[in-house]
């Protein structure tokens, strides 16, 4: 998604703002419920804090049984709670683990910069320290798709299959230079807001019952789908300087990460790769920008599918960019299909029905 584009005075928020501020301080909330779901209260406390060395711990949440293990990599600024609706479905047949990246949730902060290489190194250290059997199926949502792609490039023997959930559009500037320019102009303003939030956290103002008006965009109100305890826990870790330090550092790396198209040299041959594409990813984006974003996203998703001889792409209907919440069974079905693709072998994996949901078939 994107953050710019101006025509007739209308400005679309930049793609990275929609993928970050839409989820940062509150993440896309699940559909409104009449009362909080008590099953989510497990997220009000750490699960298993794994020592990955140098005095650092990452919070790991595993459930289910069955091989191969599935590792869930959340989107930008998201923590393991992002998988609350999807993880149980996967756990019916596989051991599945979600975790909080450095500075998120209940994980310790990591050394700066918090760039893609740092996140990949942490994931490698976590799998090793937690003694997770490899190869694993890696599932990455949004920014998480970048992490798992890079991980597979560096450690291909550790990966059995890749599932990329609505990867963000790359190379938008090719389709709309004006959009890319406006996006670049907005980025410093977003970083300035993050820095104000960081300072507010350092001063203890974010943790106040009523933060100053200037900091009210840092934290959103309580989510009615969560209990008071869970809302308090989320507010607690997002009010810490470590969260905002990580946010700022990661945000500074994002423009370069998405500026160009998927490299033609990127290959994931020899293993299943499934791209899940939401059918409603750009809600709220100005019509004049939608064409460019859609074209860039199409280019990105097709290129990623083509990066493996056994690549597939599936459009997930009735879903925003937040597929794990909107269609929580889709990831579990993709995991199952990836396992079947491995069993059928390379020649057969690229043909036939991918899956059927309800009365609608996907190929």
């Amino acid at each position: 998604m994107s953050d710019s584009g101006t025509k007739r005075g209308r400005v679309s928020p930049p793609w990275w703002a929609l993928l970050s501020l839409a989820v940062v301080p509150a993440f896309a909330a699940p559909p409104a419920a009449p009362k909080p779901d008590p099953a989510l209260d497990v997220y009000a406390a750490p699960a298993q804090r794994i020592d990955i060395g140098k005095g650092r711990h990452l919070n790991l949440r595993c459930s289910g049984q069955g091989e191969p293990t599935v590792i869930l990599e959340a989107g930008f600024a998201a923590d393991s709670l992002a998988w609350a609706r999807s993880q149980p479905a996967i756990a019916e047949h596989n051991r599945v683990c979600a975790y909080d990246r450095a500075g998120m949730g209940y994980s310790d902060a990591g050394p700066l910069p918090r760039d893609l290489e740092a996140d990949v190194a942490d994931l490698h250290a976590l799998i090793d320290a937690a003694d997770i059997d490899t190869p694993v199926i890696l599932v990455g949502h949004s920014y998480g798709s970048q992490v798992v792609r890079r991980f597979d490039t560096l450690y291909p023997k550790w990966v059995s299959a890749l599932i990329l959930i609505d990867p963000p559009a790359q190379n938008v500037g090719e389709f709309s230079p004006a959009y890319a320019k406006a996006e670049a102009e907005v980025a410093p303003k977003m970083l300035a807001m993050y820095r104000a939030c960081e300072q507010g956290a350092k001063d203890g103002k974010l943790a106040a019952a009523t933060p100053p008006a200037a900091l009210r965009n840092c934290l959103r109100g309580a989510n009615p789908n969560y209990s008071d305890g869970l809302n308090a826990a989320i507010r607690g870790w997002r009010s810490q300087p470590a969260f905002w330090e990580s946010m700022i550092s990661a945000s500074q790396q994002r423009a370069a990460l998405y500026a160009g198209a998927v490299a033609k040299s990127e290959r994931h041959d020899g293993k299943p790769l499934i791209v899940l594409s939401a059918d409603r990813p750009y809600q709220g984006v100005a019509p004049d920008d939608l064409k460019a974003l859609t074209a860039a996203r199409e280019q990105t998703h097709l290129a990623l599918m083509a990066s493996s001889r056994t690549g597939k792409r599936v459009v997930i209907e009735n879903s925003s960019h937040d597929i794990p919440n909107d269609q929580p069974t889709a990831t579990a079905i993709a995991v199952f299909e990836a396992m079947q693709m491995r069993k059928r072998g390379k020649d057969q994996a690229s043909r036939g029905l991918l899956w059927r949901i309800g009365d609608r078939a996907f190929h």
Side-chain angles (χ1 to χ4, degrees):
M1 291 169 141
S2 190
D3 201 84
S4 58
T6 59
K7 244 189 185 181
R8 294 187 298 276
R10 183 170 182 179
V11 180
S12 295
W15 70 262
W16 58 269
L18 292 173
L19 297 187
S20 62
L21 282 189
V23 292
V24 170
F27 299 114
K35 59 182 179 179
D37 182 357
L40 297 179
D41 284 349
V42 296
Y43 293 93
Q48 184 180 11
R49 280 172 44 85
I50 304 296
D51 185 346
I52 63 169
K54 299 183 179 179
R56 295 178 57 214
H57 296 75
L58 297 182
N59 183 47
L60 182 69
R61 298 183 184 276
C62 297
S63 56
Q65 295 182 346
E67 298 299 329
T69 298
V70 179
I71 304 293
L72 303 175
E73 188 73 44
F76 184 75
D79 64 301
S80 54
L81 177 58
W83 300 101
R85 301 192 72 205
S86 296
Q87 186 164 350
I90 303 170
E92 291 181 9
H93 301 286
N94 294 77
R95 183 171 186 245
V96 54
C97 301
Y99 76 104
D100 303 336
R101 283 193 295 270
M104 306 292 139
Y106 304 101
S107 289
D108 297 335
L112 302 179
R114 296 315 305 168
D115 55 13
L116 183 63
E117 301 305 320
D119 288 335
V120 170
D122 277 2
L123 177 56
H124 183 266
L126 177 64
I127 292 174
D128 186 45
D131 198 25
I132 295 174
D133 290 337
T134 58
V136 299
I137 294 178
L138 289 181
V139 178
H141 174 227
S142 194
Y143 167 74
S145 67
Q146 289 275 1
V147 178
V148 302
R149 287 162 53 193
R150 182 62 175 160
F151 188 97
D152 183 56
T153 297
L154 295 177
Y155 310 105
K157 292 183 178 179
W158 286 36
V159 182
S160 173
L162 291 169
I163 297 171
L164 311 179
I165 303 180
D166 215 44
Q170 297 183 207
N171 197 32
V172 179
E174 175 186 339
F175 301 93
S176 177
Y179 185 89
K181 180 182 177 181
E183 190 171 75
E185 291 172 349
V186 171
K189 298 176 183 178
M190 300 297 296
L191 285 171
M193 191 199 80
Y194 292 166
R195 290 192 178 98
C197 295
E198 178 192 19
Q199 189 59 51
K202 290 178 178 179
D203 295 340
K205 295 178 180 179
L206 278 188
T210 305
L215 300 178
R216 286 177 187 167
N217 285 333
C218 300
L219 299 170
R220 293 184 182 177
N223 188 323
N225 298 286
Y226 302 159
S227 68
D228 291 344
L230 179 54
N231 275 310
I234 294 170
R235 184 184 180 90
W237 64 260
R238 290 180 184 165
S239 298
Q240 297 301 311
F243 170 73
W244 293 102
E245 289 169 0
S246 299
M247 275 287 300
I248 292 167
S249 182
S251 297
Q252 290 171 328
Q253 318 299 320
R254 291 179 66 78
L257 192 61
Y258 293 100
V262 175
K264 293 182 179 180
S265 59
E266 181 173 339
R267 303 301 303 171
H268 303 283
D269 285 338
K271 62 195 60 174
L273 182 151
I274 300 175
V275 179
L276 303 185
S277 303
D279 70 338
R280 297 184 283 109
Y282 296 126
Q283 299 176 77
V285 172
D288 292 325
D289 298 324
L290 185 59
K291 182 177 180 180
L293 285 168
T294 301
R297 178 175 177 267
E298 187 75 3
Q299 179 190 72
T300 300
H301 288 199
L302 291 177
L304 290 173
M305 180 184 69
S307 67
S308 173
R309 292 189 303 274
T310 56
K312 285 189 173 183
R313 183 189 184 196
V314 182
V315 175
I316 304 300
E317 296 197 340
N318 301 314
S319 182
S320 69
H321 175 67
D322 192 12
I323 292 175
N325 265 316
D326 292 345
Q327 296 292 346
T329 62
T331 303
I333 298 172
V335 167
F336 175 80
E337 174 62 15
M339 294 170 63
Q340 295 304 305
M341 290 166 71
R342 292 285 292 186
K343 291 178 181 179
R344 290 196 298 264
K346 299 177 184 178
D347 292 338
Q348 297 180 17
S350 61
R351 299 194 297 270
L353 180 69
L354 178 55
W355 64 61
R356 182 178 295 274
I357 298 178
D359 60 354
R360 191 173 294 277
F362 296 89
H363 294 268

